[in-house]
Amino acid sequence: MTTALRRVIFIAMIAAIWEVTSKLSGLPSFMFPSLAQVFETLVNGLISGQITAAIGKSMGRILLGFLIAIIIGLILGYFIWRYKLVEDTLGFVVTALQSIPSIVWFPLAIIWFGLNDFSILFIVTIGATWTMTVNATSGFKNVPPLYQRVAKTYGSTGFHFVRTVILPASVPQIISGLRIAWAFSWRALMAGELLGGGGGLGQLLEMGRSLGQMDLVISVMIIIAIIGTIVDNVVFSRIERNVQMKWGVHS
């Protein structure tokens, strides 16, 4: 039995259990909707554009915030790896900041930027930056010293040394950091949209809650899960597999 078939069967079992439980629970449909009701709401939302517009707004926010986080994380990771003083000071602070949930920054974001897209973008960026910094630093530090000595023997220095030796050798660790950072930023985005409004999938969740439409809430949760699964299993897994094949780790 293939992996895909196992997953389909497992999801079908969960769907069957959900459907039977919704029928036998005795709860009203707005509290525990059937899957038929959920998928009807999902299809109607896609056709009407309500859900597709929310997806577009959320994806625009996370892609921008994630890109900013990658750039900042790589730069900070480089300086922490390169300079002992920065590692002892900024590196220590970054490790501490990584333990703070990104949503905790939301009150400050509202004060600094107001209740708008900038505050949501801020916590999305914060959600990924520290994780990206820590993984980039670790990747740079784990570059084999032999590679560095050989490159320096052949006269490689400065930006050329970083571009041709440090970055390529740390790619596997950086890819792992990207996957983790994406997960953190995705969660931060949903939390920010739930609290901050401004459209997006998180705002649809809040609207479904306030109107007592659990079918809408579950529909949006399904969309969130599908997007997360596609990004992780299609985008990052493929990149990671290509990197492993290039390095001879995976055939």
Side-chain angles (χ1 to χ4, degrees):
M1 185 181 295
T2 63
T3 301
L5 183 58
R6 290 193 187 100
R7 290 174 179 174
V8 170
I9 293 175
F10 183 70
I11 293 173
M13 290 173 58
I14 294 176
I17 293 171
W18 179 282
E19 193 70 15
V20 171
T21 305
S22 67
K23 299 296 184 184
L24 300 178
S25 65
L27 295 173
S29 60
F30 73 88
M31 293 181 62
F32 198 160
S34 66
L35 282 181
Q37 185 178 351
V38 170
F39 282 111
E40 181 182 357
T41 301
L42 177 58
V43 171
N44 290 336
L46 291 172
I47 294 175
S48 66
Q50 181 186 38
I51 293 180
T52 51
I55 292 173
K57 181 156 286 191
S58 292
M59 292 304 296
R61 286 168 175 162
I62 194 171
L63 290 176
L64 179 57
F66 190 58
L67 177 62
I68 295 173
I70 291 173
I71 295 172
I72 296 175
L74 288 175
I75 293 173
L76 293 180
Y78 168 77
F79 282 109
I80 292 173
W81 160 75
R82 182 68 177 80
Y83 302 104
K84 178 65 174 172
L85 176 62
V86 179
E87 179 183 10
D88 292 340
T89 53
L90 180 61
F92 170 78
V93 173
V94 168
T95 302
L97 291 174
Q98 189 186 22
S99 64
I100 301 176
S102 54
I103 195 60
V104 174
W105 292 89
F106 199 64
L108 285 176
I110 294 175
I111 293 174
W112 291 341
F113 306 108
L115 195 59
N116 52 38
D117 282 353
F118 288 106
S119 58
I120 298 176
L121 182 63
F122 174 77
I123 65 168
V124 170
T125 304
I126 285 291
T129 296
W130 312 133
T131 300
M132 194 66 232
T133 302
V134 170
N135 279 272
T137 303
S138 178
F140 296 153
K141 286 182 177 180
N142 289 329
V143 175
L146 177 62
Y147 295 176
Q148 302 183 47
R149 287 197 297 268
V150 170
K152 290 179 179 179
T153 300
Y154 282 95
S156 179
T157 58
F159 179 72
H160 182 271
F161 176 69
V162 174
R163 180 177 61 84
T164 59
V165 180
I166 299 301
L167 280 177
S170 59
V171 162
Q173 182 76 32
I174 291 175
I175 297 299
S176 298
L178 287 173
R179 295 183 73 167
I180 300 172
W182 173 270
F184 277 107
S185 61
W186 185 239
R187 295 168 189 170
L189 173 66
M190 293 300 106
E193 289 181 345
L194 268 169
L195 298 176
L201 293 171
Q203 182 61 21
L204 271 187
L205 283 173
E206 174 59 21
M207 185 176 72
R209 182 207 63 81
S210 62
L211 297 176
Q213 294 180 332
M214 290 303 103
D215 52 336
L216 177 59
V217 171
I218 297 172
S219 298
V220 176
M221 290 173 64
I222 291 174
I223 292 294
I224 293 171
I226 290 174
I227 293 175
T229 302
I230 290 175
V231 171
D232 187 74
N233 290 285
V234 176
V235 179
F236 290 120
S237 290
R238 181 170 296 180
I239 294 174
E240 189 173 39
R241 188 160 50 249
N242 291 338
V243 169
Q244 290 175 344
M245 290 177 64
K246 184 175 180 180
W247 281 76
V249 178
H250 189 277
S251 58

